[in-house]
Amino acid sequence: MERCVPFHRFGAWFCLSLCLSAGISGAAQASVLPSAQPLSAQVVVPPVPPETQSSPTTASLQPKNAQYVLSHDRYEKAVTYSRASYTMYFVSVGLNVLALVVFLRLGMAAKYRDWAERISDRRWVQALIFVPMLVLTVNLVELPLRMYGHILSLRYEMSVQGWSSWALDWAKGRLLMVIFALILRRILSAVMDRSPRRWWLLFWVATLPIVLFVVFISPWIIDPLFNKFEPLQATNPDLVGSIENLTRHAGVPIPRDRMFLMRASEKTNEINAYVTGLGASKRVVIWDTTIQKATTDETLVIVGHELGHYVLGHVWKGFLFAAVLLLIGYYALFRGLHWTLGRWGGEWRIYGPSDWASLAVLLLLVEIGMFVASPVVNGFSRMQEHDADVYGLEVTHGIVPDSSEVAARTFQVLGDADLADPNPPEFITFWLYSHPPLADRFVFAHNYDPWAKGESPKYVK
């Protein structure tokens, strides 16, 4: 259960570059419902007759101006499940930090380095030995918590993925993490040797193209490793026709071969859709669970939101935002690494930034940096998601009958299906949530009507 962390954490775990690649594709791969959905507005939880409990379709029967409503059963499950996910996030961060500190204090990083250096004098061979050993050691420490998270997702019926499939996905993720870590560590060693005082700047210049490349190839290479994709035209031609009508209205026609169905139902009961990729790899992806649980009009509202990311240039805006954060983050790493090694390097038997064992120190600093940067990254994401909501409401106006009501109903269906937390603490919303509060989005969808007020829409004129 990873409801409170970025979706792509493979390279992010090594350094802020790929951590922020998740931020970069936070627009590219943003869903209409985030992995952790905040609901800061008050949520009504009325007594619901047993025959109507836990039924997403009951949302469509709500009167205009109704608030986000959950049945008593779904409310209790949403609260319990979400609170568990918050706890797991903070425990995971604390566990990673503690494991790395203990690892360094016991001199294990130095021992791993010594083993690698005894086996070969060649730096690239040493990297092939040291980096996977370190990465896998830390991941094995975290494995029990991840397994418990999957147990919770099965218990609350968010996941239907069997343990063998889950283990295979976990192994694929660790393999990708090792590959990214090897590449980035070799680049980092090269720039450290070239300029001991300016390596942070050179590393920034070197990693930006890598981040773009990863976002570019992800739909073709990385995403298919974890899920099955099919052309939407082959599975839902009528929906494709409706989407084409919507994109023509938006003035940004998306070719049919850029629309895909993801077989999410093989692993989850949750609902989602997203835009991903860059240039030739850019595409709109709709989960099959969304089509199963939402009406065509509700699905069009979700697609309209994703069109907002597409039209408003959120991918490139996200990239520029992430590039600035990367520059700040790399300089902080530079300062933090030198300070940490100056304070404890002798005790840990780490002899400088270019020492292989210093990777463990970098991982420790990155874990702390990712945690501290979370409110900034998520705050930026919330702004983009709100803009996409506005665009989605405007682009579906006149295409979907009573589009505001349908949009609000869509948020209800999404929240009910995904066990969105009804009332998270404000601190959790600020620190972890990448989207605006669901209840706020529900009310906004009901009330956003510039046409009735004689006002001009913000984006779709």
Side-chain angles (χ1 to χ4, degrees):
M1 178 175 64
E2 295 184 1
R3 305 182 73 193
C4 302
V5 294
F7 181 74
H8 287 305
R9 286 195 63 189
F10 306 123
W13 183 82
F14 170 69
C15 72
L16 288 174
S17 63
L18 293 185
C19 166
L20 290 173
S21 78
I24 293 167
S25 62
Q29 207 150 349
S31 64
V32 73
L33 183 76
S35 56
Q37 183 61 266
L39 308 173
S40 62
Q42 288 298 313
V43 179
V44 179
V45 188
V48 181
E51 64 272 14
T52 64
Q53 286 190 4
S54 303
S55 174
T57 59
T58 59
S60 63
L61 303 177
Q62 296 177 45
K64 187 97 172 163
N65 297 322
Q67 291 179 300
Y68 176 72
V69 177
L70 288 175
S71 70
H72 179 74
D73 177 61
R74 299 299 285 179
Y75 178 89
E76 294 296 331
K77 287 183 177 180
V79 169
T80 305
Y81 185 56
S82 297
R83 296 304 192 268
S85 73
Y86 307 149
T87 301
M88 286 183 58
Y89 169 78
F90 290 105
V91 169
S92 177
V93 172
L95 181 63
N96 287 342
V97 170
L98 178 61
L100 287 165
V101 170
V102 171
F103 188 83
L104 288 164
R105 286 182 63 85
L106 292 178
M108 294 302 298
K111 290 179 182 178
Y112 282 11
R113 175 205 61 212
D114 294 342
W115 293 340
E117 291 179 347
R118 279 198 298 267
I119 292 174
S120 176
D121 292 331
R122 297 185 177 183
R123 294 282 287 175
W124 68 270
V125 176
Q126 294 171 2
L128 286 175
I129 298 169
F130 177 86
V131 172
M133 287 174 60
L134 176 61
V135 171
L136 293 177
T137 296
V138 176
N139 275 271
L140 287 174
V141 171
E142 190 185 38
L143 179 58
L145 191 63
R146 290 185 176 272
M147 294 177 67
Y148 178 67
H150 187 55
I151 290 173
L152 283 179
S153 67
L154 291 170
R155 180 185 303 168
Y156 286 91
E157 300 178 338
M158 290 293 95
S159 175
V160 296
Q161 185 177 19
W163 279 104
S164 59
S165 173
W166 182 90
L168 181 60
D169 281 353
W170 183 87
K172 291 175 185 177
R174 298 328 98 184
L175 177 61
L176 285 174
M177 185 179 293
V178 168
I179 293 172
F180 282 127
L182 279 168
I183 294 171
L184 293 170
R185 185 61 176 111
R186 288 297 292 147
I187 294 173
L188 185 58
S189 295
V191 297
M192 281 180 171
D193 292 341
R194 181 183 179 90
S195 179
R197 300 294 301 176
R198 294 288 182 269
W199 61 259
W200 58 274
L201 183 59
L202 296 177
F203 192 54
W204 179 73
V205 173
T207 53
L208 289 181
I210 295 176
V211 171
L212 283 176
F213 180 70
V214 169
V215 175
F216 178 74
I217 68 169
S218 182
W220 291 332
I221 298 177
I222 297 179
D223 293 349
L225 292 176
F226 300 92
N227 291 286
K228 297 178 182 178
F229 296 85
E230 301 175 26
L232 190 61
Q233 170 64 25
T235 59
N236 299 86
D238 292 341
L239 179 59
V240 169
S242 298
I243 293 175
E244 284 185 323
N245 186 34
L246 184 66
T247 58
R248 282 195 298 269
H249 176 64
V252 284
I254 298 177
R256 293 188 172 208
D257 60 4
R258 297 290 186 92
M259 303 178 193
F260 287 83
L261 177 81
M262 190 179 95
R263 294 292 180 184
S265 59
E266 297 178 3
K267 298 181 179 181
T268 182
N269 286 319
E270 297 183 72
I271 296 175
N272 216 333
Y274 61 87
V275 173
T276 188
L278 290 171
S281 71
K282 184 179 285 186
R283 60 188 59 188
V284 175
V285 177
I286 301 176
W287 292 13
D288 62 344
T289 50
T290 301
I291 296 175
Q292 293 166 8
K293 298 180 181 182
T295 66
T296 297
D297 284 347
E298 290 165 355
T299 302
L300 288 179
V301 168
I302 296 173
V303 173
H305 172 97
E306 298 307 326
L307 277 176
H309 291 305
Y310 194 98
V311 173
L312 301 177
H314 286 172
V315 175
W316 291 107
K317 291 176 182 177
F319 175 76
L320 294 176
F321 172 78
V324 173
L325 280 186
L326 276 176
L327 186 61
I328 297 171
Y330 286 171
Y331 181 71
L333 278 180
F334 166 74
R335 302 293 297 182
L337 180 62
H338 280 271
W339 181 84
T340 304
L341 293 181
R343 178 67 176 82
W344 292 290
E347 178 183 343
W348 297 340
R349 293 197 302 116
I350 301 176
Y351 306 120
S354 60
D355 188 331
W356 289 121
S358 70
L359 176 57
V361 182
L362 283 172
L363 290 176
L364 174 61
L365 295 175
V366 165
E367 190 70 39
I368 296 171
M370 288 169 59
F371 178 75
V372 172
S374 290
V376 178
V377 175
N378 288 326
F380 178 80
S381 176
R382 286 194 298 271
M383 289 190 295
Q384 289 197 326
E385 294 300 332
H386 176 70
D387 288 344
D389 279 348
V390 173
Y391 185 91
L393 287 167
E394 293 180 355
V395 78
T396 54
H397 182 74
I399 299 294
V400 174
D402 201 1
S403 57
S404 293
E405 174 67 15
V406 173
R409 192 171 69 224
T410 302
F411 290 132
Q412 174 71 50
V413 172
L414 289 167
D416 188 278
D418 292 6
L419 288 182
D421 187 352
N423 291 296
E426 291 186 7
F427 171 77
I428 293 296
T429 301
F430 166 75
W431 203 274
L432 298 180
Y433 281 53
S434 60
H435 287 53
L438 183 60
D440 287 357
R441 298 171 79 186
F442 185 99
V443 173
F444 179 79
H446 268 305
N447 296 333
Y448 185 72
D449 192 1
W451 305 276
K453 300 175 184 177
E455 300 173 354
S456 175
K458 185 175 181 179
Y459 298 118
V460 183
K461 306 300 182 182

